[in-house]
Amino acid sequence: MYAQLVETGIKRLKNLDEMAPQERAFQEKIDAEIKIEAKNWMPEAYRQTLIRQISQHAHSEIVGMLPEGNWITRAPTLKRKLQLMAKVQDEAGHGLYLYSAMETLGADRDEEIARLHAGKAKYSSIFNYPTLTWADMGVVGWLVDGAAIVNQVVLQRTSYGPYARAMVRICKEESFHQRQGYELLLTLMREGNDAQQAMVQDAINRFWWPSLMMFGPSDADSPNSAQSMAWKIKRQSNDELRQRFIDQTVPQLELLGCTAPDPDLKWNEERGHYDFGAIQWEEFYQVLKGNGPCNRERLETRRVAYEDGAWVREAVVAYARKQQQRHTAA
Ligand code: 3HC
């Protein structure tokens, strides 16, 4: 796949014999599957690519708390409320984990969060869609976290050590997120009335295509993939992971007794994969530009939460300083 990306001329990559000795030694470590650690020499472009990707990943986790957070107070049972609270808390932890991994590269957490609040940083497009009904909570767990798992399981093998290790714990918790979402939908489909079953199908209709967009643009339109794959930051391409997600999700869709809003979705025996319809990339790029249904609302909510939480951060820093002084004085 990576060779095709390079052939398409997205980015002509340097060969080993074109590299300076230090960069060549670095690439040979990458090729030998030796993890790169924070203290190791790395090309500045490798470091910047990781800061870009990990900061966006962390932002996605934090903004990703919002669509579900809206439903904690409206969960239909105590069990569902507890599940949703646990999931939202997990996402907060994933965000903090990833900001810490980002900081090992010398990036400043406050600066990156300020860029997010100023609308200058990306986060996953999927979180700019509204969660209108309770069935959306199931679909977000099943499709959104399901897509995130496909992407993140592969990231456990990314070449940068702190990022790969952060993924191991995050993937374990994501599996719970995906299962609780799917179980919620099975309950609605098997025990719910017609209106509740229709609510599930409506949620799938709204989230199906935006979930496929989570994997990024098609390989031919991905400016970062070729280099990220040469550095083994990205181990599989956007299209490969999107296809894997579709192939594993369609049988689950059928078990629910639901359909996807894609008349072209059908099994292709020859390919051994599902064929699917054209993604509306114009919508994707509009969301990336900030013109999605909820972009402004999500960023405003994050800005207000960050300001409201300033006193907590100040108290924690003051306490840590006091502890440090006591430790130094002892
Ligand atoms: N939403 C927003 N921006 C996206 C995007 C998406 N779904 N897909 C791609 N983009 C952006 C890229 O960031 C890049 O922009 P940039 O150069 O300005 O940063 C541009 O579109 C071109 O895309 P590329 O494919 O060339 O970029 P990458 O090589 O970075 O690949 C990616 C994109 C596959 C998302 C990769 O960055 C990645 O794997 N990131 C880590 C995983 C991640 O961030 N997942 C987001 C969801 S996390 C989540 O859902 C948490 C769960 O618990 C709810």
Side-chain angles (χ1 to χ4, degrees):
M1 182 63 243
Y2 144 61
Q4 285 167 331
L5 287 171
V6 175
E7 274 163 26
T8 54
I10 288 177
K11 188 174 277 182
R12 201 190 73 74
L13 306 177
K14 280 190 276 188
N15 301 317
L16 282 176
D17 52 18
E18 294 173 292
M19 294 176 186
Q22 214 170 21
E23 186 177 1
R24 179 180 179 137
F26 165 84
Q27 188 62 51
E28 284 167 346
K29 276 177 78 173
I30 295 271
D31 296 345
E33 297 291 345
I34 296 169
K35 284 282 182 267
I36 304 300
E37 298 298 337
K39 60 184 183 307
N40 295 149
W41 183 89
M42 61 185 82
E44 181 57 16
Y46 176 83
R47 195 174 69 85
Q48 287 302 330
T49 297
L50 283 167
I51 290 173
R52 172 183 67 81
Q53 177 164 328
I54 300 173
S55 62
Q56 290 171 9
H57 198 161
H59 295 333
S60 300
E61 301 281 1
I62 298 299
V63 176
M65 294 163 68
L66 300 177
E68 291 157 315
N70 282 340
W71 280 90
I72 288 174
T73 55
R74 293 182 271 167
T77 65
L78 183 59
K79 170 188 158 193
R80 294 296 184 198
K81 187 192 286 279
L82 289 171
Q83 281 175 339
L84 210 45
M85 285 172 71
K87 179 179 188 308
V88 171
Q89 284 170 13
D90 282 350
E91 310 297 11
H94 297 174
L96 300 182
Y97 232 50
L98 287 164
Y99 282 129
S100 299
M102 177 195 78
E103 286 172 324
T104 65
L105 291 153
D108 180 274
R109 182 180 307 208
D110 291 339
E111 282 175 21
E112 294 301 331
I113 290 173
R115 291 183 66 245
L116 170 69
H117 293 166
K120 295 193 178 109
K122 289 188 171 76
Y123 55 90
S124 190
S125 47
I126 190 70
F127 298 121
N128 291 305
Y129 290 82
T131 46
L132 303 174
T133 71
W134 174 250
D136 288 20
M137 292 302 98
V139 166
V140 166
W142 171 48
L143 289 184
V144 174
D145 288 71
I149 290 170
V150 169
N151 168 284
Q152 292 173 155
V153 161
V154 175
L155 274 173
Q156 291 176 121
R157 292 189 296 117
T158 193
S159 57
Y160 185 56
Y163 196 22
R165 292 188 290 271
M167 282 299 109
V168 174
R169 170 175 161 185
I170 287 175
C171 287
K172 287 184 170 58
E173 292 176 343
E174 290 295 353
S175 300
F176 145 68
H177 299 171
Q178 196 256 10
R179 286 203 192 93
Q180 63 84 35
Y182 192 65
E183 191 269 336
L184 187 159
L185 298 176
L186 275 177
T187 304
L188 284 171
M189 292 306 291
R190 291 179 175 171
E191 299 170 26
N193 58 33
D194 291 352
Q196 288 167 324
Q197 291 173 2
M199 186 169 66
V200 172
Q201 184 60 63
D202 167 63
I204 292 170
N205 292 344
R206 286 183 285 108
F207 276 92
W208 180 263
W209 291 106
S211 298
L212 301 191
M213 295 174 192
M214 285 176 69
F215 292 95
S218 63
D219 294 344
D221 297 324
S222 162
N224 299 305
S225 285
Q227 183 62 74
S228 284
M229 291 181 85
W231 284 329
K232 297 188 181 178
I233 292 172
K234 194 178 254 187
R235 302 303 303 251
Q236 290 190 268
S237 79
N238 298 356
D239 286 336
E240 284 173 326
L241 294 182
R242 194 180 351 260
Q243 183 69 67
R244 177 178 304 165
F245 172 68
I246 291 168
D247 289 349
Q248 76 180 35
T249 302
V250 173
Q252 295 166 355
L253 182 71
E254 290 167 350
L255 187 69
L256 278 175
C258 294
T259 57
D262 177 4
D264 297 322
L265 183 69
K266 63 175 79 61
W267 179 252
N268 181 321
E269 194 55 43
E270 199 180 314
R271 286 181 61 229
H273 294 292
Y274 283 91
D275 291 338
F276 55 97
I279 293 176
Q280 299 307 309
W281 290 114
E282 180 48 32
E283 175 185 330
F284 171 74
Y285 288 111
Q286 280 303 320
V287 173
L288 262 55
K289 279 186 196 140
N291 302 322
C294 296
N295 293 59
R296 290 171 191 79
E297 173 195 333
R298 298 287 187 237
L299 286 186
E300 181 54 20
T301 305
R302 279 305 316 147
R303 281 192 287 265
V304 169
Y306 193 75
E307 283 153 24
D308 288 355
W311 68 274
V312 175
R313 292 192 298 276
E314 285 157 20
V316 167
V317 168
Y319 176 77
R321 278 209 186 101
K322 196 85 179 158
Q323 289 298 89
Q324 185 64 38
Q325 285 161 3
R326 280 203 193 109
H327 179 73
T328 315

